[in-house]
Amino acid sequence: MIEVAAIPQASLKTRDLNAYYGDHRAIADVTLGFQPLSVTALIGPSGCGKTTLLRTLNRIHEIIPNARVTGEVILDGENVYDPAVDPIALRRRIGMVFQRPNPFPTLSIEDNVAAGLNLRLRRTQRQEIVERALRDVGLWDEIKDRLRASPHTLSGGQAQRLCIARALAVEPEVLLMDEPTSALDPISAANVEELVGRLASRYTIVVVTHNMQQAARVSRATAFMLADESGSGRVVEYGETSQIFFHPRERRTEDYISGRFG
Amino acid sequence: MSVRRLRAQTSSRVIDRVFIAVLLAAAIVFLAIIGGLAYSLVAGSSLSLRTFGAAFLWTSQWNPVTNQFGALPLIYGTIVSSLIAILLSGLFGVFAAVFLADFAPRPIARPLSFMIELLAAVPSVVFGLWGLFVLAPAMRNAIDPFLQKTLGFLPIFSGPSYGVGLLTAGVILALMIIPTVTALSRDVIATIPIDQREASMSLGATRWETMTKVVLPAARAGIFGAIILALGRALGETIATTMVIGNRPEISASLFAPSYTLASVIANEFTEATTDIYRNSLIELGLLLFIVSVMVNGAARLLIWSVFRRSVSAR
Amino acid sequence: MKNYPMRRFTGAAGILWSFLCAFVAAASLLLILGYIVFNGASAINWEFITQLPHPVGVEGGGVANGIIGSVITVGIATLIATPIGVLTGLYLALFARGGFAETVRFLSDVLSGIPSIAIGLFAYTVLVQPFRHFSAISASFAFAVLMLPLLVRTSEEAVRSVPRPILEGALALGLTTFRSTLLIVVPVAWPSIMTGLLLAIARVTGETAPLLFTAFGSQFWELNPTNPMAQLALQVFNYAISPYRSQNTQAWGGALLLVLAVLTLNILARLLIKSRVSVIR
């Protein structure tokens, strides 16, 4: 079991985090530390709150009316839920990639990648950043001669890598990924997975996945979540991925891993 | 990686603040316009409101020469022509909606709906023109005599027909509001959950019986609301009415007789209104129309909304 | 089951009656359009659309000043109504919560039901009476008020119907609301907003009642919006009730022009809706 306090300079952690949609408590008492510069996987059956937890980290769950949070999410020592914090500034440090690729349909590929960039950059600087981001995700060679094309022309896997490039262009510290490969074909999924592995050396990455094999392949630490009797998601066990998968401490974890439910 | 603080950069905060302020300003301008509308009607009719008071509503004199103004004949003409309109459009429109919602095969429903919706786009003055030169002669030459021959014992179908009059105005209005009745009723009927239909059919009812005994009663409030909304349109309709109603401020029992509506008299006489009291009285008619349409619209939307809400919660 | 054949018959009769009702309603459009085209086509010629009206009783002449006047009036109305309407719609979709938003929406619905003649009176008291002068711009004001509820409602719906994933993507990128609205949300919603605008323009094209005491009409060329100006719808109205047969014929011609304009706008709006569906997958 990973002790949160023992994680060296944990850049991102939660403390007693609860998230509510109206009266329903979606996640309860979550205290986790995400190891920097590595991939942490969140696994669990549907409804266990893993996506909700992810969305509280960059405060994007707030767009749902009646959503609220108690507890803390701490980034580099600052609680992101402090009233003085600007969520917009927060989201430039914590980026997000969604389950279904969502390139902006009215912008070109190039403009998609540059969408988050400061407007005051010079043209050449912009182009440099776009190229670097597209190279990082392995898309540059494939689309360097159609940067002005519409993102419709991209395949699913390419579109998802475009979204990752878009998130990376802003130079975040943390990257949140909500089932990034579940809408992709197996080859594209493998590409993206491999990309995530490469990115881990530069970013702190949290991946929600329902694919246990993927979690085992890609992550260094894994948190297993389950909804309790009142429907609130809780972290059942959190540890090194190899420990979770081969020597789970909790019975419930073992049941899930071995496929006895969910 | 540079350390960036989580406090906002002032520039982005400012931009968003200004942005919200601009949008809010637009909304406030919008509200101010509506408020200004109400105020201008009240202020513009203050003289006649003070002079005639409530008696304005039941005085039957509309005499610009003696400066005596009473709205009764106009209220009569407005109500009767609108009643005819909603009777006719309700009868045809609701059943048209029934057909389009549940019985029409797709390739027929789409073009029919489309054509009925286009009917709503035809300008009022075009309806009036057609009414004046096509409908009015038809009424005078064929339909009114027929009604007189068969139902002439009724006072509403007595007396000579000039083609222009209450009945013709009612028919034109019916044509103009039938798209409203049909489209809204069709939407309301479509909202009734399909399981109610299925339950009825599984008990052995025919499709028609399901419609008349199950679906229509469930949609009743909404259909009623659609008709009231259409009524609101009919009450305020000006140009088409004024072209076919005869423009005579008199109350008569016969539907063939010429009449006058609140909106028509404003249209015909406003530019001739030389005295303040004359103009105020006309604006007071406008105020009347405003109040009535607000009440009618409010009631209609409440009714329609109640059906949508009930269907949603029933799911 | 009792009396099944009778019930079958009633059912069939009912469905037939319903079909007839729908048919009559749809056919009346064709009936009206038919007369307009039949009577109006003969009136439309080059002179009709390029000449000024001739003095009463004299044959010939045209409605050119009315056509230009209507275009100018509707154009100015669009300029007035579009910013207010679209921005209000944006506000309702993006920022407004609870009571204030509900009030604005309710009042917008109320405004859409108010007779156009009452709105004409409003324009008169605000822009004609104080200056003792009829003007096209007072008519534009009345038209703008008529267009506003449509613009507010369709703009709000257009923004609300931007797919969630796109909104979330922009949000997660840390863009300011201003930038994400302008760069991403509005372009995606644009076809729907344009549709609303086309329908709003169609709504006031052919609207006559407010014109009677705002633009008032004119026999001459007029390009200055602070003066009374000819309007096609007014010309149709006046020619229709005129005792002169030649003017009646011109009324049909003008009506045909109005109907063509309105139908074109409606069809364009529908085409836009269809094209939007294919842009957002």
Side-chain angles (χ1 to χ4, degrees), chain C residues 41 106 128:
Chain C
F106 173 70
V128 176

Side-chain angles (χ1 to χ4, degrees), chain C residues 106-263:
Chain C
F106 173 70
L107 287 177
S108 180
D109 277 347
V110 162
L111 182 59
S112 68
I114 293 179
S116 60
I117 192 130
I119 293 177
L121 289 175
F122 176 39
Y124 174 84
T125 49
V126 170
L127 285 176
V128 176
Q129 196 164 33
F131 306 102
R132 303 192 172 288
H133 196 55
F134 292 116
S135 61
I137 203 159
S138 59
S140 294
F141 179 71
F143 280 177
V145 175
L146 286 170
M147 292 168 77
L148 275 176
L150 253 173
L151 286 172
V152 168
R153 187 160 33 99
T154 52
S155 304
E156 185 189 355
E157 272 171 29
V159 171
R160 275 189 196 285
S161 63
V162 171
R164 249 294 184 78
I166 296 179
L167 292 175
E168 292 192 341
L171 194 66
L173 212 48
L175 294 174
T176 60
T177 320
F178 174 63
R179 214 169 136 195
S180 72
T181 305
L182 225 61
L183 226 61
I184 294 158
V185 172
V186 165
V188 170
W190 190 244
S192 298
I193 296 178
M194 271 307 289
T195 305
L197 183 59
L198 286 175
L199 291 176
I201 294 179
R203 164 91 178 77
V204 293
T205 302
E207 183 65 60
T208 318
L211 297 172
L212 294 165
F213 33 83
T214 51
F216 193 66
S218 161
Q219 292 284 91
F220 309 109
W221 296 113
E222 183 61 70
L223 292 178
N224 183 343
T226 59
N227 287 337
M229 200 185 278
Q231 304 286 317
L232 185 58
L234 265 182
Q235 289 170 323
V236 172
F237 178 61
N238 288 321
Y239 288 175
I241 58 181
S242 147
Y244 295 97
R245 176 67 65 81
S246 62
Q247 289 195 324
N248 297 152
T249 316
Q250 294 198 318
W252 286 105
L256 178 57
L257 290 178
L258 283 177
V259 164
L260 281 174
V262 167
L263 287 185

Side-chain angles (χ1 to χ4, degrees), chain B residues 175-211:
Chain B
L175 276 177
M176 294 175 79
I177 64 177
I178 222 181
T180 307
V181 175
T182 307
L184 270 172
S185 301
R186 184 198 57 202
D187 288 346
V188 167
I189 289 174
T191 321
I192 306 297
I194 196 156
D195 21 309
Q196 290 194 25
R197 290 178 174 83
E198 286 174 353
S200 163
M201 307 255 281
S202 68
L203 290 173
T206 64
R207 289 170 71 200
W208 182 251
E209 283 167 348
T210 303
M211 172 57 67

Side-chain angles (χ1 to χ4, degrees), chain B residues 12-13 15-16 19-20 22-24 26-34 36-38 40-41 44 91-93 95-100 103 108 110-112 114-119 121-127 129-130 132-134 175 178 182 203-209 232-233 235-239 242-243 263-264 266-268 270-271 276 279 282-283 285-287 289-290 293-294 297-298 301, chain C residues 1 4 7-8 10-11 14-15 17-19 21-33 35-36 39 83-84 87-88 90-91 94-95 100 103-104 106-119 121-122 124-126 129 134 141 145 148-149 152 176-179 181-182 202 205-209 212-213 216 233 236-237 240-241 248 251-252 255 258-259 262-263 266-267 270 274:
Chain B
S12 70
R13 265 263 164 91
I15 289 177
D16 268 357
F19 184 52
I20 299 183
V22 166
L23 296 189
L24 182 59
I28 291 183
V29 167
F30 179 59
L31 288 180
I33 288 179
I34 302 178
L37 168 63
S40 72
L41 290 175
L91 181 65
F92 282 91
F95 283 108
V98 161
F99 180 72
L100 292 173
F103 295 110
I108 300 186
R110 291 267 296 275
L112 278 183
F114 179 62
M115 283 164 58
I116 296 180
E117 274 166 35
L118 277 188
L119 195 60
V122 174
S124 171
V125 68
V126 173
F127 270 109
L129 178 67
W130 183 83
L132 188 57
F133 288 109
V134 178
L175 276 177
I178 222 181
T182 307
L203 290 173
T206 64
R207 289 170 71 200
W208 182 251
E209 283 167 348
R233 297 252 166 93
L235 290 173
E237 178 43 55
T238 311
I239 290 293
T242 201
M243 288 165 90
S264 307
I266 302 176
N268 281 323
F270 196 75
T271 45
D276 275 349
R279 208 171 30 242
L282 287 168
I283 296 184
L285 295 179
L287 178 63
L289 278 174
F290 174 77
S293 78
V294 169
N297 259 275
R301 290 190 193 273
Chain C
M1 280 274 123
Y4 196 56
R7 291 163 57 213
R8 284 285 290 276
T10 326
I15 298 180
W17 169 248
S18 305
F19 167 69
C21 289
F23 183 74
V24 162
S28 48
L29 172 75
L30 294 176
L31 191 64
I32 295 176
L33 283 188
Y35 272 99
I36 307 269
N39 291 331
I84 302 177
L87 290 178
T88 303
L90 279 183
Y91 180 76
L94 297 173
F95 294 115
F100 184 65
T103 309
V104 175
F106 173 70
L107 287 177
S108 180
D109 277 347
V110 162
L111 182 59
S112 68
I114 293 179
S116 60
I117 192 130
I119 293 177
L121 289 175
F122 176 39
Y124 174 84
T125 49
V126 170
Q129 196 164 33
F134 292 116
F141 179 71
V145 175
L148 275 176
V152 168
T176 60
T177 320
F178 174 63
R179 214 169 136 195
T181 305
L182 225 61
T205 302
E207 183 65 60
T208 318
L212 294 165
F213 33 83
F216 193 66
V236 172
F237 178 61
I241 58 181
N248 297 152
W252 286 105
L258 283 177
V259 164
V262 167
L263 287 185
N266 267 277
I267 293 176
R270 258 161 230 277
K274 290 226 183 90

